Amino acid sequence: MQTELSQKLGVEHAVFGFTPFPAVAAAISRAGGFGVLGAVRYTDPDELKRDLDWVEAHVDGRPYGLDVVMPAKKVEGVTEADVEAMIPEGHRQFVRDTLAEHGVPGLAEGEASGWRITGWMEQVARTQLDVAFDYPIRLLANALGSPPADVVARAHDRDVLVAALAGSARHARKHKDAGIDIVVAQGYEAGGHTGEIASMVLTPEVVDAVAPLPVLAAGGIGSGQQVAAALTLGAQGVWLGSIWLTTTEADLHSPALTRKLLAAGSGDTVRSRALTGKPARQLRTEWTDAWDDPAGPGTLPMPLQGLLVAEAVSRIQKYEVEPLLGTPVGQIVGRMNSERSVQAVFDDLTRGFAQAVDRINRIARGSGQS
């Protein structure tokens, strides 16, 4: 599964795997793909350094990258405390009432929330980059569009390619104008923040909009046949995230969540603002239903919503309160019905890809003879 882009980066397969787990990122690179470690959860630079040290020691010299979340426009002088103060008391009470309704225990006295959304704030992302640029990363991806111009320049000075996600051809053209090297066309089916255009429509639109920049297709891809379809639509690779959540290398710290993912069908996700304030595809739960109910207070804009629900999400995860327990995941969850190693996923991808290419070749030969 090689393309011009995969050859440029020195990887065997044009499969870019986004994951929050260092062990998964390293395994993706070792399997011949391109592992991309998500940095949003690293509010402590020392923790990111520790995990990048681990990745560097376990990729066997293969290339890898980092994914951050930062806005293109900088807001000066705004602290986390300033943002916290903007959260209405009515929304805080709604969180308390919803957790009480489901009997969710509180955290122990002095215990900090294990899940914070502060990684969405620019100053945190910049500290992540200060750490990451000390490592031989080959790719910097930004999930909130084009990163600030100085970040793009800083990456290019280090021969690091910059990728940005786009949910429309209009967004993709803005990335091209901003000097981005790779555009990730993320379709409606994808997990996490996503737009309203399906991958089959979006991918060729973005390919045409930013040519000759390389495009990665994302959203609803979890088989080799789908990889082949993406390349046929003009993409130079695929960007996969959800498929790795149920791999044996993933560290969800929640058997209950793993069970829910393995049991879920393609229709068991929803695009909801409940987690961050922006539409993000995730497992549908009683938590997302509560926030999406017109009778509720409605969600807050990013980053207020993420800060509001951070402790609640930690409590739900810690105590594995199944009716409320969820995670960002795409519609491809319907294919994620067994725990497999990262290498086993790649074996299935390459096998399915070869079958799809062979099928198309047979069709083409038949057409040529008719």
Side-chain angles (χ1 to χ4, degrees), residues 8-349:
K8 178 178 181 178
L9 288 169
V11 295
E12 183 179 357
H13 306 300
V15 174
F16 294 71
F18 163 80
T19 174
F21 306 116
V24 176
I28 290 168
S29 290
R30 289 198 309 271
F34 191 100
V36 182
L37 179 64
V40 69
R41 68 188 179 91
Y42 292 99
T43 56
D44 183 344
D46 289 337
E47 290 183 1
L48 178 59
K49 183 179 186 305
R50 177 202 64 202
D51 283 356
L52 285 175
D53 282 340
W54 191 94
V55 170
E56 178 67 20
H58 289 83
V59 293
D60 295 345
R62 308 289 183 90
Y64 61 95
L66 192 77
D67 179 278
V68 297
V69 180
M70 60 192 314
K73 296 181 180 178
K74 185 174 183 177
V75 179
E76 298 283 358
V78 177
T79 67
E80 182 180 343
D82 294 331
V83 178
E84 287 267 16
M86 301 176 188
I87 298 174
E89 177 57 30
H91 283 73
R92 295 186 187 277
Q93 187 61 48
F94 182 76
V95 170
R96 291 192 288 266
D97 291 344
T98 304
L99 296 178
E101 179 184 344
H102 290 83
V104 182
L107 298 176
E109 185 175 351
E111 182 180 1
S113 170
W115 184 91
R116 295 295 284 169
I117 203 67
T118 50
W120 300 100
M121 301 181 73
E122 182 186 350
Q123 61 265 37
V124 176
R126 286 184 176 273
T127 64
Q128 294 164 350
L129 293 178
D130 290 340
V131 172
F133 283 139
D134 286 336
Y135 292 81
I137 61 171
R138 296 292 310 281
L139 175 72
L140 173 66
N142 189 40
L144 275 187
S146 303
D150 69 295
V151 171
V152 176
R154 189 177 176 190
H156 287 167
D157 286 344
R158 290 163 173 78
D159 199 27
V160 174
L161 297 180
V162 180
L165 276 64
S168 70
R170 178 175 61 85
H171 292 155
R173 282 189 286 267
K174 288 184 177 180
H175 296 338
K176 183 179 181 180
D177 293 343
I180 300 303
D181 305 294
I182 302 168
V183 176
V184 181
Q186 178 156 294
Y188 172 84
E189 308 94 325
H193 295 122
T194 183
E196 299 182 352
I197 305 174
S199 298
M200 182 66 74
V201 175
L202 179 66
T203 301
E205 284 188 352
V206 171
V207 168
D208 291 343
V210 302
L213 288 186
V215 172
L216 301 177
I221 301 172
S223 73
Q225 290 87 345
Q226 290 167 317
V227 175
L231 300 190
T232 301
L233 293 173
Q236 286 205 30
V238 293
W239 178 272
L240 308 185
S242 298
I243 197 72
W244 316 113
L245 288 174
T246 51
T247 56
T248 53
E249 292 90 346
D251 192 9
L252 286 177
H253 297 295
S254 174
L257 181 54
T258 298
R259 288 195 301 271
K260 291 187 75 170
L261 288 169
L262 295 175
S266 299
D268 292 327
T269 68
V270 63
R271 284 175 74 245
S272 172
R273 299 177 185 269
L275 188 61
T276 69
K278 285 183 176 292
R281 186 170 297 284
Q282 55 202 281
L283 280 180
R284 182 176 181 178
T285 66
E286 292 186 26
W287 178 255
T288 62
D289 286 349
W291 282 105
D292 295 339
D293 189 335
T299 56
L300 297 170
M302 179 186 281
L304 299 182
Q305 181 71 16
L307 290 169
L308 168 66
V309 305
E311 181 182 317
V313 171
S314 285
R315 289 164 59 185
I316 292 165
Q317 292 175 345
K318 177 178 179 178
Y319 299 110
E320 295 192 298
V321 184
E322 293 204 31
L324 304 179
L325 187 61
T327 186
V329 69
Q331 291 180 329
I332 198 63
V333 71
R335 296 184 64 96
M336 296 158 50
N337 48 27
S338 65
E339 291 187 75
R340 300 176 292 167
S341 68
V342 168
Q343 184 60 61
V345 172
F346 267 90
D347 291 343
D348 284 348
L349 290 174

